[in-house]
């Protein structure tokens, strides 16, 4: 923050109470968020300054920065402004706790840590969450000795990389006593910022202060006795009670403008205020005005030497001019020597606008030249180069291109901007240089989620490609089709690929086969499984006739294998899978990189055919190739395939951690389809684990994404159908049934692939039984059995047998139920679906108990309990425990709950309402039951549960129950 207070804080009594409350929380070791929202000049910075002063008085470490209007394309600028000087002052040993890799990550962002950057492998644009995690860990390290206040002012002007990092910290706050305070103007905030801060409000994270105008009496207090009483009313009326406007008008006795002034407009600022600013600037002596204008060009905050150089003033004259600016309170000192800032961002804007356009152009040119002489990086020089370069300037094009490359890995939005700036300088007839900028710009735009712009950049690229580059042209067309699909424009994607195929002179060429594989992929979105088979088979036949195209053959065979699985032709799928897998193993690294999709097809088909270990191995290889070659576009599906393998194997803790990572990657992608897919996966894994709070939160967000973003397609149907299972676990079987049938096209489930229908039918069976609809349950079980005819997959067969066993139990036929349940166990054991085996054992145990075969029932239930405890499936494990207790068998606490309970001494840190919710969770209530009993909405219950999890340091309802019981024991 500035060393001098920017204005005396007047009024704001309620806000001051909120500041103290926020500081109490951070002082007590809790992470917190404070939002200060309001229009220009309303006093946001003053509130933050008051907060910083109070935090400093309490012994907090206070780090503060401000985003600047003209530096919106400088990556992480607001965080660098806040933290860099302090980080650079620390001994290197201070970062030991952060670890080498995370230290290297943060060192790439904060110039003051440049010596610690070390060697770090190039990161994919999609994996920039690694940096976000590193900064989060850094904040925890900084707060390990004393609480930390991180102040980020004017974040409505923050660059997109800063906003992504801030959004990450809002969703995944530090664990230590870190209070993050942000100020923003609502009408000028980017969607990313609005969404992140809105999410915090929705989830009850921290506080939001929305500042309004001062009252007339408060305005009078701010103005003081120096302003005559008869002037205060008119000033109040003119300013609307806005503190900055009030003070600015009072400086000049109102909005009287001198004859020489030329008033200008600043967005959101009343004309009377800009007129008063114009008068103030017009009164400045020549050198003083020139230095102010140079400072406005240089940056916020500005270095005196650089500003003097841009102003072209001698040292003596510049010092005198600086003193005059300080005396007139136009600029103010900061905590860093020789660094100053304007008294308000509106003033900087006014000074910048006040200068003549021609003078500004030459000033930016001087700034770029001086920074180059100082050895500044292209990223630092780029803003000034962009504002001053002439078309065709090869040096400027090079600087802007290098700035784009610098930003690519961690700030793709900034990279896209700099590549675009370079393109504007490249002559129209220089196709080679334009391609050099267009291709990375398209990748950066796609990584930043700006898909329409990425599509246009790719179209521009295609138009520049000469005919002899047909292979590259096909790859670019495929990339455009992928973007079209991500935008929900599936018909356009198919039409584009078909047109490109028609334009090829050789229908049997490698380019033709590659386009056919992409057309097969398009069939998934429709979904049109027959089209997938036809296009992939044609590609396979063409690839088989070609010599020297083994990578293409692997991709074609893998695509065909996956398509055959989708239509239930498992025997053919296995044949083509083994063919594709054998070729992939023979490919060189370069060939695998050429057709990395072949690794995806083989990995996904392995997973689909229940060869989970091999699926994980090949998908991991695919991820390595993507990382080595910078191919981001397949990262999400490869990670999702791996997470599904882990889930079926019962490795739920690993699957949950990976799913969290995938969500972070997908959030940064900016595209709704990847986000919905990742959120759905996370909800599904949490449902398997019995963590219904997490499952519900992510599932609801996924539903919101598909209903407000993604057009209706295969993935939106999956989102609704997968979340239906969570609804069932939350005690809403009727909605589970209706959503599943609606999403998947009715009882025949035509939207979902044939080989997966038994899974959905089993869920429908369970839901119908929970809703006391035995006849429907019987029908769904029959459909499950019909769905697995000719599908020799143990996991799928096991689901059908378990569905039938559940119906038999409801019909009072335990002997037949036991037989079917044990058949399910055998089939699922063969598939390696460990968690599913255990769930089938529970049903078998119940059936055996009903047959008075107590010893055998106990054996099955004890095995189920042990397996589920190892898997991390707490809810199902507890179900096994209840069945064992009914049989008089004592059950020792599970490993998961034991471990988590150690972290908890009691629930004393919870509010009264949170303790009430925790007690009911311990009694086994679902969210819906909690809402009904406490007369609250389910969303409010979810918010309470998230707060409880955070305060207790646990991640499951079982751990909350353990903490509650432990707290009760201590109290007694």
């Amino acid at each position: 923050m500035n060393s001098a207070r920017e204005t005396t804080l007047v009024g704001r009594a309620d806000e001051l109470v909120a500041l103290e409350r926020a500081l109490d929380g951070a002082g007590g070791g809790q992470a917190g968020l404070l939002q200060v929202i309001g229009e220009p000049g309303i006093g946001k910075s003053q509130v933050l300054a008051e907060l910083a002063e109070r935090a400093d008085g309490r012994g907090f470490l206070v780090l503060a920065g401000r985003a600047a209007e003209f530096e919106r394309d400088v990556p992480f600028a607001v965080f660098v402004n806040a933290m860099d000087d302090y980080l650079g002052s620390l001994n290197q040993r201070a970062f030991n706790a952060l670890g080498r890799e995370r230290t290297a990550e943060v060192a790439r962002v904060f110039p003051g840590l440049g010596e610690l950057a070390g060697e770090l492998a190039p990161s994919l644009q999609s994996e920039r969450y690694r940096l976000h995690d590193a900064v989060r860990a850094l904040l925890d390290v900084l707060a390990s000795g004393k609480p930390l206040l991180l102040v980020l002012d004017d974040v409505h002007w923050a660059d997109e990389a800063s906003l992504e990092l801030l959004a990450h910290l809002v969703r995944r706050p530090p664990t230590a006593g870190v209070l993050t305070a942000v100020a923003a103007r609502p009408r000028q905030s980017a969607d990313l910022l609005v969404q992140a801060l809105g999410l915090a409000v929705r989830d009850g994270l921290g506080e939001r202060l929305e500042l309004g105008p001062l009252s007339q009496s408060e305005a009078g207090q701010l103005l003081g006795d120096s302003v005559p009483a008869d002037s205060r009313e008119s000033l109040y009326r003119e300013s609307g009670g806005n503190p900055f406007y009030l003070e600015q008008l009072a400086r000049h006795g109102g909005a009287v403008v001198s004859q020489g002034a030329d008033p200008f407009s600043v967005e959101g600022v009343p004309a009377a205020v800009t007129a008063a600013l114009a008068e103030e600037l017009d009164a400045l002596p020549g050198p003083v005005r020139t230095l102010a204008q140079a400072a406005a060009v240089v940056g916020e905050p500005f270095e005196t030497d650089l500003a003097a150089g841009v102003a072209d003033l001698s040292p003596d004259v510049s010092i005198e001019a600086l003193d005059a600016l300080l005396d007139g309170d136009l600029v103010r000192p900061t905590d860093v020597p020789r660094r100053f800032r304007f008294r308000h961002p509106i003033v900087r804007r006014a000074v910048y606008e006040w200068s003549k356009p021609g003078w500004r152009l030459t000033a930016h040119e001087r700034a770029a030249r001086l920074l180059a002489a100082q050895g500044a990086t292209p990223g630092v020089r780029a803003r000034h180069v962009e504002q001053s370069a002439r078309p065709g300037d090869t040096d400027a094009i090079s600087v802007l291109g290098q700035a784009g490359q610098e930003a690519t890995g961690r700030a793709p939005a900034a990279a896209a901007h700099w590549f675009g700036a370079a393109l504007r300088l490249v002559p129209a007839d220089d196709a080679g240089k334009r391609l050099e900028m267009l291709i990375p710009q398209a990748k950066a735009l796609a990584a930043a989620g700006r898909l329409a712009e990425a599509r246009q950049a790719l179209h521009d690229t295609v138009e520049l490609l000469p005919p002899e580059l047909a292979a590259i042209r096909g790859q670019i067309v495929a990339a455009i089709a992928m973007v079209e699909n991500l935008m929900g424009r599936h018909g356009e994607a198919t039409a584009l690929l078909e047109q490109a195929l028609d334009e090829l002179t050789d229908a049997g060429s490698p380019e033709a086969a590659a386009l056919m594989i992409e057309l097969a992929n398009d069939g998934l979105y429709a979904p049109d499984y027959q089209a997938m088979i036809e296009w992939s088979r044609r590609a396979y036949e063409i690839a088989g006739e070609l010599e020297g195209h083994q990578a293409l053959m692997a991709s074609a065979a893998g695509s065909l294998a996956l398509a055959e699985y989708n239509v239930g032709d498992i025997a053919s799928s296995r044949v083509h899978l083994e063919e594709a897998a054998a070729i992939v193993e023979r490919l060189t690294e370069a060939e695998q990189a050429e057709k990395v999709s072949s690794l995806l097809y083989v990995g996904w088909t392995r997973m689909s055919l229940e060869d989970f270990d091999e699926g994980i191995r090949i998908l991991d290889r695919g991820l390595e190739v993507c990382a080595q070659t910078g191919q981001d576009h397949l990262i999400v599906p490869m990670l999702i395939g791996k997470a599904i393998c882990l889930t079926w194997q019962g490795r739920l803790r690993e699957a949950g951690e990976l799913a969290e990572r995938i969500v972070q990657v997908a959030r940064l992608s900016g595209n709704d389809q990847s986000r919905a897919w990742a959120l759905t996966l996370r909800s599904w894994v949490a449902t398997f684990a019995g963590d219904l709070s997490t499952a519900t939160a992510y599932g609801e967000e996924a539903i919101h994404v598909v209903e407000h973003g993604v057009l209706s397609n295969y993935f939106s149907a999956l989102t609704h159908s997968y979340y239906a299972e969570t609804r069932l676990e939350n005690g809403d079987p009727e909605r589970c049934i209706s959503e599943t049938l609606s999403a998947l096209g009715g009882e025949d489930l035509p939207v979902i692939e044939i080989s997966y229908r038994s899974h959905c039918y089993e869920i429908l069976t369970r839901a119908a039984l929970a809703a006391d609809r035995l006849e429907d349950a019987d029908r769904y079980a029959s459909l499950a059995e019909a769905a697995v005819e000719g599908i020799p997959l143990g996991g799928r067969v096991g689901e059908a047998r378990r569905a039938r066993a559940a119906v038999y139990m409801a019909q009072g036929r335990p002997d037949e139920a036991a037989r079917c349940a044990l058949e399910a166990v055998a089939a699922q054991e063969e598939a390696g679906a460990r968690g599913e085996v255990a769930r089938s054992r529970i049903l078998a145990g119940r059936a055996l108990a009903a047959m008075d075969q107590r010893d055998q029932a106990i054996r099955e239930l004890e095995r189920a309990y042990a397996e589920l405890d190892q898997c991390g499936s707490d809810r199902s494990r507890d179900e096994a425990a209840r069945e064992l207790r009914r049989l008089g068998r004592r059950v020792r606490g599970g490993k998961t709950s034991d471990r988590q309970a150690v972290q908890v001494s009691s629930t004393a840190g919870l509010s009264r309402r949170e303790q009430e919710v925790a007690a009911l969770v311990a009694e086994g209530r679902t969210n819906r039951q909690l809402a009904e009993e406490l007369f609250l909405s389910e969303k409010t219950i979810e918010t309470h549960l998230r707060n409880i999890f955070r305060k207790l340091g646990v991640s499951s309802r079982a751990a909350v129950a353990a903490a509650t019981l432990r707290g009760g024991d201590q109290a007694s």
Side-chain angles (χ1 to χ4, degrees), residues 299-330:
E300 179 79 331
F302 64 89
E303 301 281 352
T304 54
D305 293 340
L306 183 58
V310 171
D312 201 18
L313 297 174
S314 68
D316 291 343
V317 173
S318 65
I319 290 298
E320 290 180 7
L322 177 63
D323 284 340
L325 292 174
L326 290 165
D327 291 341
D329 196 31
L330 209 67

Side-chain angles (χ1 to χ4, degrees), residues 17 96 202 310 338 490 531 705 731 743 756 815 862 909 947:
V17 172
N96 289 345
R202 187 199 73 181
V310 171
R338 306 185 71 81
H490 312 307
V705 170
Y756 200 62
D815 53 340
E862 285 182 335
N947 289 336

Side-chain angles (χ1 to χ4, degrees), residues 505-524:
T505 55
D506 183 0
S509 66
E511 293 76 27
L515 288 171
M516 290 172 187
I517 292 171
E518 295 302 325
L519 281 163
N521 292 340
D522 272 12
L524 182 62

Side-chain angles (χ1 to χ4, degrees), residues 60 159 182 192 216 256 393 408 455 511 693 698 749 803 852:
F60 277 56
D159 61 281
V182 300
L192 178 58
Q216 191 161 350
V256 179
D393 184 336
T408 291
R455 178 184 60 191
E511 293 76 27
S693 177
Y698 282 98
L749 311 184
D852 292 329

